[in-house]
């Protein structure tokens, strides 16, 4: 069994509706991952332990989705040297702007790659993780090239329909 490469974490089970988009991308590319609820506010000790031990467990990239105050991606980034990709979850109150601002405003020295709010952000987080892993995996890179070619072809076909 291949070791898990990506840790897909979220602050609440309700975030899964968005974060499953990242999981779908990882599934499409055959990238192994774990998915867990790890709350910065409700389970801070679990969050710190998860971040601190991720590298020794073989994790290469962490995707962290969070809504509201959205401290999870930044706090995880503070406790690991692994790449952390933050996904702002669309909230009922402020439509995810609060989450975006919380994640994107990390102080210098604690990087979090921040995606768009919601489903597009989760999809791109999955693709970003695949791209990071493809740096050292030629088979995965071939899949990315084929994916990009397919995206281009679909875009070309849909543009011809309008002309």
């Amino acid at each position: 069994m291949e070791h898990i490469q990506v840790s897909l974490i979220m602050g609440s089970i309700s975030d899964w509706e968005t974060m499953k988009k990242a999981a779908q991308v990882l599934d499409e590319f055959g990238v192994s991952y774990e998915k867990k609820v790890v709350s910065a506010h409700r389970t801070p000790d679990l969050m710190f332990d998860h971040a601190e031990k991720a590298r020794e467990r073989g994790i290469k990239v962490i995707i962290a989705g969070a809504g509201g105050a959205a401290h999870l991606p930044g706090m995880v980034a503070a406790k690991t040297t692994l790449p952390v990709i933050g996904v702002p979850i669309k909230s009922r109150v402020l439509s995810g702007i609060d989450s975006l601002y919380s994640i994107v405003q990390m102080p210098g020295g604690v990087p979090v790659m921040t995606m768009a709010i919601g489903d597009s952000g989760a999809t791109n987080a999955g693709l970003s993780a695949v791209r990071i892993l493809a740096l050292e995996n030629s088979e995965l890179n071939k899949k990315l090239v084929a994916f990009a070619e397919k995206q281009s072809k679909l875009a070309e076909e849909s543009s011809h329909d309008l002309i």
Side-chain angles (χ1 to χ4, degrees):
M1 183 176 157
E2 183 184 16
H3 74 279
I4 296 169
Q5 298 179 82
V6 177
S7 183
L8 185 58
I9 59 176
M10 59 213 83
S12 169
I13 191 65
S14 63
D15 298 340
W16 176 243
E17 221 20 65
T18 298
M19 297 304 288
K20 70 182 178 184
K21 301 294 186 189
Q24 290 166 349
V25 169
L26 297 172
D27 286 337
E28 181 179 342
F29 283 91
V31 172
S32 59
Y33 62 94
E34 62 185 10
K35 54 184 187 275
K36 297 182 178 191
V37 173
V38 181
S39 172
H41 302 112
R42 295 178 197 94
T43 59
D45 293 337
L46 174 64
M47 176 199 58
F48 285 141
D49 186 63
H50 186 80
E52 290 169 346
K53 294 180 178 169
R55 183 181 293 277
E56 70 187 53
R57 291 188 306 111
I59 300 297
K60 296 190 181 328
V61 180
I62 298 172
I63 301 174
H71 292 117
L72 181 63
M75 293 303 296
V76 167
K79 299 297 280 183
T80 185
T81 58
L82 293 172
V84 176
I85 304 170
V87 178
I89 303 296
K90 187 173 184 178
S91 58
R92 290 185 301 274
V93 180
L94 297 174
S95 298
I97 295 296
D98 50 342
S99 308
L100 175 66
Y101 286 166
S102 292
I103 298 170
V104 80
Q105 295 186 97
M106 291 303 298
V110 187
V112 175
M113 293 170 265
T114 308
M115 300 291 117
I117 298 167
D119 290 355
S120 293
T123 297
N124 284 339
L127 282 168
S128 294
V130 171
R131 286 180 172 198
I132 291 167
L133 296 170
L135 289 169
E136 296 181 352
N137 182 325
S138 61
E139 288 304 310
L140 200 50
N141 190 58
K142 287 177 188 173
K143 290 179 182 180
L144 274 170
V145 169
F147 175 83
E149 289 171 355
K150 181 180 173 186
Q151 293 291 303
S152 292
K153 185 175 181 181
L154 288 172
E156 286 175 16
E157 288 172 358
S158 66
S159 67
H160 291 292
D161 293 340
L162 299 174
I163 297 174

